[in-house]
Amino acid sequence: MGVVNVTPDSFSDGGRWLDPDLAVARGLQLLEEGADLLDVGGESTRPGATRPLVVEELDRVLPVIEALVAEGAPVSVDTMRSEVAAAALERGARMVNDVSGGLGDPAVLDVVADADAAYVAMHWRAHADVMAGHARYDDVVADVVTELGQRVDAALAAGIDADRLAVDPGLGFAKTADHNWALLRRLDALAVLDLPVLVGSSRKSFLGTLLASADGTPRPALEREDANAALTTVAALAGVWAVRVHEAGKALDALRVVERWLLPEDQEGPSA
């Protein structure tokens, strides 16, 4: 899943693709690099971010979605608003990637069900401006699995078929770096939900902290790609359905390594 941020304030590339033409070009570049799906979002969810007006979010994402769909691109809309989800699906998006799992706007579940679209429910506890205060868990892995299961139940109750659902543990959302690492070590715990798993670690702050310089300065967001490629390898070996990335080429290289690693010996040819 290739990230197309049509925002002025995203933590990693805010403003770079705010112009619709640049965003479309970026999406097509990600497809050329090997992305299978483009995730177009118009609201930054970085820690501390304030929300745009609904009309602002619509104005940001709809022209980009329309243009990418016209080019034949498979598109997901990254939104937690039912109005934005409905408009995006009407314009050809195939999936709603909802970081709130339906908690931000419960009507989004009905929109997805009515459109017979796919849906990703992410683990979430609060909006970006206050989520840091909600990073308290008895057992982060068990709590995330339980709370995600509740969101899955809500999606099913709304009429979204199980074969159109996926889940995301929500790395960085109301979670400390230690919480993120605990979840990555235990991705297998999500198997109890019996749904495809999406992992979005790309460029996040816990990688910047891990790669900090000697004086403690976090590694800049645009310089975390190699570390994320390593995490892509780990996630793929854990059997996840998809990884959400800013650079599709490096992620695909990692996935090719995993694919070759897992190839049964009896399928190896002389050139394999």
Side-chain angles (χ1 to χ4, degrees):
M1 178 185 280
V3 179
V4 183
N5 285 325
V6 195
T7 59
D9 57 345
S10 290
F11 76 94
S12 65
D13 56 4
R16 294 185 70 187
W17 322 115
L18 186 58
D19 178 271
D21 291 338
L22 292 177
V24 172
R26 177 59 176 164
L28 296 177
Q29 179 185 6
L30 288 167
L31 283 181
E32 188 173 344
E33 290 177 4
D36 299 296
L37 180 66
L38 300 178
D39 197 37
V40 180
E43 176 180 356
S44 172
T45 51
R46 63 175 174 79
T50 56
R51 306 196 71 189
L53 298 173
V54 175
V55 66
E56 290 177 309
E57 188 178 351
L58 288 166
D59 287 345
R60 291 172 185 175
V61 302
L62 293 185
V64 177
I65 290 171
E66 287 182 327
L68 288 172
V69 168
E71 293 287 342
V75 173
S76 167
V77 61
D78 176 6
T79 187
M80 62 182 93
R81 285 173 163 150
S82 57
E83 303 97 325
V84 178
L89 294 171
E90 288 173 359
R91 286 159 177 79
R94 304 180 185 181
M95 174 183 287
V96 175
N97 182 22
D98 179 2
V99 300
S100 80
L103 289 171
D105 180 357
V108 76
L109 300 176
D110 297 319
V111 167
V112 174
D114 290 344
D116 202 30
Y119 184 72
V120 179
M122 196 192 79
H123 179 265
W124 183 90
R125 284 185 165 181
H127 287 290
D129 56 342
V130 296
M131 67 180 177
H134 294 261
R136 300 184 183 91
Y137 301 87
D138 294 325
D139 178 323
V140 66
V141 176
D143 291 351
V144 166
V145 171
T146 296
E147 292 170 27
L148 264 181
Q150 293 167 354
R151 303 321 307 152
V152 170
D153 289 344
L156 293 170
I160 302 174
D161 293 338
D163 62 3
R164 293 187 285 113
L165 282 173
V167 293
D168 180 338
L171 300 178
F173 287 79
K175 297 172 186 73
T176 66
D178 286 344
H179 292 149
N180 295 331
W181 290 115
L183 286 164
L184 286 165
R185 282 193 296 268
R186 290 293 317 283
L187 286 172
D188 62 313
L190 294 169
V192 69
L193 300 175
D194 197 27
L195 290 172
V197 175
L198 170 68
V199 169
S201 60
S202 185
R203 296 182 180 172
K204 290 190 172 177
S205 60
F206 75 102
L207 293 178
T209 302
L210 176 72
L211 305 172
S213 61
D215 65 1
T217 302
R219 180 79 62 84
L222 296 180
E223 298 176 19
R224 302 170 189 170
E225 286 299 332
D226 289 341
N228 196 66
L231 267 187
T232 296
T233 304
V234 172
L237 286 168
V240 305
W241 160 67
V243 288
R244 186 178 184 273
V245 299
H246 293 83
E247 299 292 341
K250 288 192 175 184
L252 185 60
D253 287 349
L255 294 174
R256 284 173 171 162
V257 169
V258 172
E259 183 179 39
R260 180 60 183 83
W261 181 287
L262 297 176
L263 189 68
E265 290 186 15
D266 60 2
Q267 293 185 24
E268 294 180 354
S271 62

